[in-house]
Amino acid sequence: MRLSSVLSAAAGLLVVLLYVSPVETGKCPRVCSCDNSKLTVACMGKNLTEVPPTVDEITVKLDLRNNDLQVLPRGAFLHTPYLTHLNLQRCNIMKVKEGAFRTLGRLVSLNLAYNNIEILYQESFDGLSSLKELHLDHNRVEEIQPGAFTQLGFLNMLALTHNQLVYIPNMAFQGLQNIKWLRLSHNSLNNLATEAFAGLFTLNRLSLDHNELQFFPTQTMTRLPEVTRLDMSYNPMTYLGEESVSMAKLTHLYLDHMSLQDLSDMALSQAPLLSYLDLSHNQLRYLEPLSGPKELASLNLTGNRIYCNCYMRPLREWSRRGGVKLLGACAGPAHLSDEPLQAVAPLELRCRSREETLKEEFEEQDGSREPAPPTAKPKKKVKCPDNCDCDVEAQHATCEGRGHTKVPRGFPPKTQLLDLRSNHFHYLPASSFPGADQVVSLHLEFCKIHEIEGGAFRGMKKLFYLYLSDNDLTSLDPAAFAGAPDLTYLHLEGNRLAQFPGSALAPLPGLFALHLERNVISKLEPTGLLSSAAPKLRGLYLTNNTVTAIAKGAFNSAYLDTLHLDSNQLTEVPTDALTEASSLEELNLSRNSIRWVGPKAFQPVSQSLRRLYMDETGMEKMSRDSLAGVGAGLKTLTVGGNQLEQLPDLSPLTGLEVIDLRGNPLLCDCPLLPLRRWMENVSLEVTATCGHPPELRGQSVRDVHVFKSCPDSSSPPGEKPATPPKAPKTNKPKPPVLKASGVQARPVKAKAKPSKPTKTKPQKKPKAPAVTKQNKKTM
């Protein structure tokens, strides 16, 4: 009886313990429903105007659908640092303020679909270093500011469908180092910058269907080496020329429901792995055998008016030899009408006499026979220069690759996008574009231009984007851009400019971004460089020049926030040149020959600097005080692929979210103890490996035990022992730990508050008249 009494008492105690367990004691907002066993909170459709402040901090899934939040303020989720899934659909959100998600370092899925967001700001998504999926579909996004996605290094899928984008600028998706699928369907895209998708080296699926692209963006797509699936359907393209599709790993291409009337047999010659091609529901009458794809298994021609005569015989024989399945049916002649293409034998594809063929085709067009189904609304005939195409409705005109030696004249007066790339102009005289006063975006890439006379763009008072990339310019007339006062984005990369074109920029008071990559600029002098030439310049890109020297104060601008000097010939950090760049946030010095970083190297920009890149410079040593002054504001630091054996004290960098130390032969001995101690006490996954001594080579700094023998290994001299991070309270279930490869920020303190470095609010980016909601077909 005693034993049974003990067992009974134990069972009773167990019931009591269960009753008072953390599963029942968690906080739950009054209007929400909570499942403490699954750590989920649901507050759908409760007319909430703010994120409930009483949500339990250990919650991992929060559903706030169908509320009225409107604006997400800074630190909106400060009290829920362990969230992995957050649903904010249909919350009437109009703006995401800087730092709204800054504490959500474990979030893997964020759903912001069906809201009213118009602009993606530079730091809207700061802190989401573990995010895998971001849904921004069904909003009103019409502008992506530079750097909007730089913090999302682990993002796999980005959905921007059903928005109001008309143009994708260069480097728009910079920072998406692990992106697999980018969805841009159902926008109003009519132009993509050449470097729009630059840096997306892991992207394998791109959706651009249901947009307004009139030509295949060949140069843009060549920047996507890993894409296997590309959907371009429902775009108003009429023709694909030779080598239009140059994508080495592409396997699936969707070009259905367009307006294709012709397709060069060499259009896919640079897509050798293509296995599925959908050309259904176009306006093709016949098709020649396609050169290039060796793996093609299926070709869909359904819904085209294919005329099955002798002109189709080569395609049918080619498909039979290569085992290519043809989908679709013959539209004529009468005896083969509706016959599946796959079933028609090559010998049946015969041509009658020319008179009979013309008569039959005339009957079909005249209506004597059953009329062809309508495929596209006929376009209104407009005045257009010879050998060019103009579309009044889309306000586009293109003469791309037509062999012009002089700029054509006589474009429709309301033209806003003018594409003249890949011609042979050589020289642009004054007033080269009369009647183009409404043009917003002008493309002159690959035109072999070696001289631009002063006033060449005179009268182009609305010009906002000018592309002069990949020409033969060696210098610029001081008045080259006079007469285009609203020019904001200027692309001069890929020329032969030997000097910074300061005097030529003077007529452009609103210049925002200047691209000078791939020129031969070797020196940067301070006189008139920025303060007088481009006083409001925000982004300066000098990658891949031959810069060896930069004068003191060369970057004397109160607005400059992005400076790319990577892949040049610098031998030291240009500290003196940065003395007046008080707003600089991003500095890229990678791939220079900087072997030594001295004391206070970044002191002039220490308060504003957020992202610092110094990869592959051959760096052998960093002074102990090299990062002096750089503190909590720095979010990204990369020094990968160098020759560093030791590192300076990183403890002041309390705001770091990304750090890359990979590829350095670190000396795993007592001098490295501060780094080891720092690694153990930060909320970052840090990848660092030993290079010395030989017996530890390749091992993680975190795993080796050599530091246990170091004197005073418990704490550095003169300092108190480091306080270990607090664990979550014992009366609450511990949230799951998310593992992710690479380097990312992950909060470990249950109630840790992020540092708030003071920062000058950046000037609002000038808005192009062409990218407003009222007019979405400009560029």
Side-chain angles (χ1 to χ4, degrees), residues 395 413-417 436-442 457-466 483-489 767-771 775 778-779:
Q395 296 173 320
K414 293 185 179 181
T415 298
Q416 294 189 1
L417 171 73
D437 58 332
Q438 299 298 308
V439 169
V440 173
S441 182
L442 174 60
F457 306 99
R458 186 180 296 126
M460 303 189 77
K461 59 185 180 181
K462 290 191 177 181
L463 188 64
F464 199 80
Y465 302 91
L466 176 57
D486 284 348
L487 188 59
T488 303
Y489 290 85
K767 200 174 183 78
V771 290
N775 186 354
T778 54
M779 294 182 300

Side-chain angles (χ1 to χ4, degrees), residues 722-733:
T723 303
K726 283 185 178 180
K729 296 178 181 179
T730 54
N731 64 335
K732 296 178 181 179

